[in-house]
Amino acid sequence: MDSIAFDYGPEEEEWKSVEGGTNVMTEALVNMLKTKPIYNKRVTRVALDRKREGENKMVVVTNYDETPRYYTSVINTTTLACLQRIDTIDLELSSTVKIATRTLHYDSSTKAAIKFDKPWWITNVYPSYDINDDPEKPDVLLCTYTWAQDATRIGSMINTDSPRGEDELKCLMLYNVARLHSDDSNFEEMYEIIKASYITHHLSLSFQPLPQSLPSHPSSSSSFYPRTFYTYPPFPAQTQSSGAFALFGPGQFRSLYPHLIRPQSDSRFHIVGEAASSNHAWIVGSLESAYRGVWMVLERFECYDLQGKIGAVITSEVPASSLMIGFARTIRAEHSGLALSTLDLDPTTDLSSKLVAESIAKICLAGHNDKNLERPDWEYAIRGGRIMVPRMVLEPGINESSRARDGPFKQKARALTLQVGVSGMLDTLQFVDDESHSKSLRANDVEVEIKASGLNFVDLMISMGQIAEDALGAECSGVVSRVGPGVTEFKPGDRIMAWLPGTFSSFVRTPEPMIQPIPENMSFEVAASIPVAFVTAYHALVDAARLANGETVLIHSAAGGFGQAAIMLAQHFQAEIFVTVSSQVKKDLVMDKYGIAEDHIFNSHDLTFVDSIMRMTGGKCVDVVLNSLAGEALRQSWHCLAWFGRFIEMGKRDIGRLLSALIMTYREG
């Protein structure tokens, strides 16, 4: 259920409730199996016997019968924790898979039952939950805190006579439930609904005791195992929590997952299940990994087949038959070397006819002859005695109709905005219709007809796909075209500058506090270059660095827009300013325009600025560093920082390297 989003789809969608829960689906699957599973038959050993003749080299031993059983392949559907209790010494698992089986651990989770005077979640959250219950009668909602830290925190607040004396815990749970099922716009309303509907709650304190011996599994619907499941090692037995949550450590899944999905033991042993899937939702992850395990077996033993289905395509007389076609497409996409073809037979034709037999023979021969072609046919259908294949034919007219065309930027009754068609490809930049322009203004919104937009380096990085943002442009200037009813300081016709995402447009709208008037003698081009540089400099030096009068500051790349704004602001605080630049022209600029002394200007293209700062400050270094350098220069900039100094990182892409630089500098003393 973790993979299902409830916030999209048609509102008239008909929801259904499965009485009995997932157990009903499990029993239905079991009934479809030709060989029924035997419960309480634990596997004690799995091995690979390379000396055994034939293909059945996999050895499986159970506690039910010590006699070894031999198989061609084994697909393991148990959890990794179960593998820890199976003898796999002769299974030839890779060292990384062995590490994974030891690494996956289980931590606490806490479950709370909250009783409300009515099931508000039927209409607000889960339309299928208790769909047949009376919507006006009291009902119980089960809430689970699955993260160990939350589970322990909640568990520590539980009293032995719950719910008495748990007012703080009650408020916290109701707050969490409301926050989970609302957004900022309707949180308070949802919280009041939940708070008014609350009757009582109960939280579990302890686990069921582990019995001395396990009885035989009476049926698949038995409630015995759910009661005792979390008492088995290695699940935690903490009195302040109930339940367990399986997890890898930070960063471990990313490094272990590629090894878990690889076949083991001469490609005869396959690990499947939600822990061996990138989809962590139990049902989705299990199905995805099961598909992978099946086609790995087919690949290992070259089990190529021609699967006949009836009425799947064309008019889809039997839509369920399309399952195999979709499955086959998935297999071919994940393993191009598997020659798997599908044939959809005509549901109106006698399947035992000579025509059908001849058609199947032709298709088999064609599939064998065409498998080495660049684009072979894999999907066939027989209709009216004719063999048919799907074809996708290029229609140039469709491409031409969707291609961007040159046109005027200013168009009557049409608002445009700049978008990147394909991230990283600058030739796909194009202006498209701005759909937000047709929406009504909010009370404090100001709409601006843009006259000039500021271009920053971050816009280039967004266009090149190096920063995951959508909107291009962050500052602009222009003329107010419309205002909302709550706007008091501006009127249509006012000249203003503003900062907001998406200013590469013909019109933008922004809240009133985000715009400022510009003097009549200032051009729109100059005004559009002010907001980002000066607001960023103010936030960096005043809000973040708390620069005080007389302190020292190092400004990297000082000749840029932000650098010049930072120089002016630092001079306002009468700070001693050191800067780095990348050329003689830029050096002359900061000397002539801002009066920076030559011995306070250093080269940003090498690392000599570090020794120069040490020399000029007598080894004390500077109080504030405004950094925009990357790589080794970023790390060396830390050596320029005085004790209790403030290091302000201006970049977004290298923010992770910043922490590494800090750690390395700390280790170097």
Side-chain angles (χ1 to χ4, degrees):
M1 296 295 290
D2 293 343
S3 68
I4 298 178
F6 293 97
D7 57 352
Y8 71 92
E11 296 182 359
E12 64 273 10
E13 182 70 32
E14 181 181 0
W15 287 79
K16 299 183 183 300
S17 176
V18 179
E19 292 293 341
T22 55
N23 190 59
V24 174
M25 291 181 276
T26 303
E27 290 182 343
L29 290 172
V30 170
N31 292 333
M32 296 174 63
L33 298 176
K34 293 181 179 179
T35 303
K36 304 302 181 184
I38 302 176
Y39 298 101
N40 205 30
K41 181 179 178 180
R42 188 170 67 87
V43 175
T44 58
R45 180 173 181 260
V46 180
L48 172 63
D49 186 356
R50 291 186 177 273
K51 297 180 180 180
R52 182 178 173 82
E53 295 182 359
E55 292 292 352
N56 294 339
K57 297 180 181 293
M58 294 299 296
V59 184
V60 177
V61 180
T62 69
N63 64 345
Y64 183 81
D65 183 1
E66 294 295 334
T67 303
R69 298 171 181 264
Y70 296 93
Y71 300 91
T72 303
S73 296
V74 172
I75 298 179
N76 176 74
T77 63
T78 64
T79 63
L80 295 183
C82 292
L83 279 179
Q84 298 177 13
R85 289 159 181 77
I86 297 176
D87 179 2
T88 58
I89 294 177
D90 298 321
L91 190 54
E92 299 184 9
L93 296 176
S94 68
S95 58
T96 308
V97 172
K98 292 179 181 178
I99 292 173
T101 60
R102 301 187 187 105
T103 302
L104 184 70
H105 62 285
Y106 293 81
D107 219 323
S108 305
S109 70
T110 295
K111 295 177 176 62
I114 307 177
K115 189 175 184 179
F116 296 94
D117 60 5
K118 59 183 177 182
W120 51 267
W121 52 87
I122 291 181
T123 56
N124 293 78
V125 185
Y126 308 117
S128 65
Y129 190 87
D130 285 347
I131 195 171
N132 298 322
D133 289 1
D134 191 332
E136 299 301 325
K137 289 186 177 181
D139 212 336
V140 176
L141 181 68
L142 296 178
C143 307
T144 304
Y145 289 86
T146 56
W147 290 105
Q149 299 93 327
D150 289 340
T152 304
R153 175 168 59 94
I154 296 298
S156 65
M157 302 170 68
I158 303 174
N159 290 330
T160 55
D161 56 347
S162 177
R164 297 178 60 184
E166 293 178 350
D167 292 341
E168 182 180 358
L169 178 56
K170 163 196 164 184
C171 293
L172 177 60
M173 290 191 300
L174 296 182
Y175 176 89
N176 292 152
V177 172
R179 177 62 66 188
L180 182 63
H181 302 311
S182 64
D183 53 34
D184 292 338
S185 64
N186 66 340
F187 166 73
E188 294 184 0
E189 178 184 358
M190 178 62 72
Y191 179 75
E192 293 301 324
I193 293 175
I194 294 175
K195 183 179 178 181
S197 181
Y198 169 85
I199 296 179
T200 186
H201 71 269
H202 177 75
L203 290 96
S204 175
L205 268 174
S206 61
F207 296 85
Q208 293 287 336
L210 179 65
Q212 296 297 321
S213 61
L214 296 179
S216 300
H217 195 293
S219 70
S220 59
S221 61
S222 170
S223 60
F224 173 79
Y225 285 104
R227 289 203 307 271
T228 63
F229 179 73
Y230 297 124
T231 63
Y232 293 100
F235 301 99
Q238 300 178 5
T239 58
Q240 74 270 24
S241 62
S242 62
F245 181 71
L247 69 157
F248 285 106
Q252 290 177 335
F253 180 79
R254 177 180 297 178
S255 60
L256 297 176
Y257 171 71
H259 298 273
L260 286 173
I261 64 176
R262 293 175 184 170
Q264 304 290 312
S265 309
D266 191 28
S267 297
R268 296 172 181 270
F269 184 77
H270 308 276
I271 298 175
V272 303
E274 62 92 14
S277 170
S278 57
N279 297 304
H280 296 301
W282 285 2
I283 297 176
V284 175
S286 297
L287 289 177
E288 183 270 337
S289 63
Y291 289 154
R292 185 185 66 248
V294 170
W295 75 251
M296 282 183 175
V297 172
L298 295 175
E299 175 192 17
R300 171 62 176 81
F301 298 100
E302 299 181 352
C303 300
Y304 303 159
D305 193 10
L306 181 73
Q307 298 290 334
K309 289 295 177 181
I310 301 177
V313 298
I314 313 297
T315 56
S316 295
E317 296 89 342
V318 186
S321 297
S322 297
L323 291 174
M324 183 59 214
I325 295 177
F327 187 26
R329 290 176 180 173
T330 302
I331 293 175
R332 286 193 296 268
E334 297 184 3
H335 183 59
S336 57
L338 193 62
L340 179 63
S341 300
T342 59
L343 169 61
D344 184 46
L345 301 175
D346 191 342
T348 63
T349 302
D350 183 6
L351 301 185
S352 62
S353 66
K354 179 180 179 181
L355 178 61
V356 171
E358 291 176 348
S359 299
I360 293 176
K362 290 180 181 179
I363 293 172
C364 288
L365 182 60
H368 177 75
N369 295 335
D370 296 348
K371 63 181 180 181
N372 295 322
L373 297 178
E374 182 180 357
R375 293 185 178 180
D377 290 314
W378 298 119
E379 298 179 9
Y380 300 87
I382 298 177
R383 292 296 186 274
R386 294 187 302 165
I387 300 176
M388 309 173 70
V389 293
R391 281 285 185 271
M392 184 177 292
V393 180
L394 179 64
E395 174 51 55
I398 296 179
N399 293 338
E400 188 64 30
S401 64
S402 61
R403 184 171 300 159
R405 293 180 174 83
D406 294 337
F409 179 66
K410 296 292 185 179
Q411 300 183 34
K412 186 177 181 180
R414 187 181 185 187
L416 301 175
T417 185
L418 187 64
Q419 283 188 354
V420 182
V422 179
S423 179
M425 299 181 64
L426 295 181
D427 59 350
T428 64
L429 286 169
Q430 58 184 358
F431 283 96
V432 299
D433 288 307
D434 187 356
E435 297 180 358
S436 64
H437 182 68
S438 60
K439 297 180 181 178
S440 301
L441 289 174
R442 292 178 296 184
N444 67 334
D445 272 355
V446 176
E447 184 183 83
V448 180
E449 181 182 0
I450 295 180
K451 299 296 184 180
S453 297
L455 177 64
N456 294 279
F457 184 66
V458 67
D459 298 316
L460 178 60
M461 298 186 72
I462 293 173
S463 302
M464 295 300 296
Q466 298 182 22
I467 293 180
E469 300 286 349
D470 295 326
L472 292 171
E475 57 187 343
C476 67
S477 62
V479 177
V480 175
S481 57
R482 291 190 300 166
V483 297
V487 176
T488 59
E489 300 294 329
F490 298 93
K491 64 182 183 301
D494 288 347
R495 290 160 44 90
I496 60 92
M497 60 182 175
W499 49 97
L500 70 156
T503 57
F504 291 162
S505 306
S506 51
F507 292 89
V508 293
R509 55 185 59 182
T510 185
E512 183 179 15
M514 300 303 292
I515 64 175
Q516 291 294 324
I518 60 177
E520 289 296 330
N521 61 349
M522 179 180 288
S523 69
F524 287 116
E525 291 80 5
V526 171
S529 67
I530 291 177
V532 169
F534 283 85
V535 170
T536 304
Y538 185 91
H539 178 68
L541 288 176
V542 179
D543 296 337
R546 305 181 304 282
L547 183 67
N549 286 348
E551 288 192 313
T552 54
V553 57
L554 170 61
I555 303 173
H556 283 304
S557 303
F562 165 76
Q564 294 184 52
I567 289 176
M568 285 186 271
L569 194 57
Q571 288 177 334
H572 174 75
F573 285 96
Q574 300 179 0
E576 183 178 4
I577 303 170
F578 300 93
V579 302
T580 65
V581 294
S582 59
S583 68
Q584 183 64 41
V585 174
K586 295 178 179 179
K587 179 179 179 180
D588 295 339
L589 171 68
V590 296
M591 290 176 59
D592 299 340
K593 190 173 183 64
Y594 301 105
I596 305 297
E598 185 174 7
D599 60 357
H600 282 51
I601 305 174
F602 314 116
N603 193 343
S604 62
H605 280 181
D606 56 41
L607 304 178
T608 57
F609 68 84
V610 180
D611 294 333
S612 300
I613 289 290
M614 293 288 188
R615 184 184 70 253
M616 294 298 298
T617 60
K620 295 181 180 180
C621 300
V622 298
D623 299 302
V624 176
V625 174
L626 292 186
N627 181 68
S628 57
L629 303 182
E632 182 62 18
L634 182 154
R635 193 173 74 87
Q636 290 297 327
S637 296
W638 280 101
H639 294 288
C640 301
L641 194 63
W643 284 98
F644 303 107
R646 287 86 75 196
F647 192 101
I648 310 300
E649 171 59 32
M650 306 309 302
K652 294 182 66 175
R653 188 180 62 175
D654 295 318
I655 197 67
R657 301 175 187 174
L658 181 62
L659 180 58
S660 300
L662 175 61
I663 295 173
M664 293 180 66
T665 305
Y666 174 78
R667 289 176 176 174
E668 293 173 0

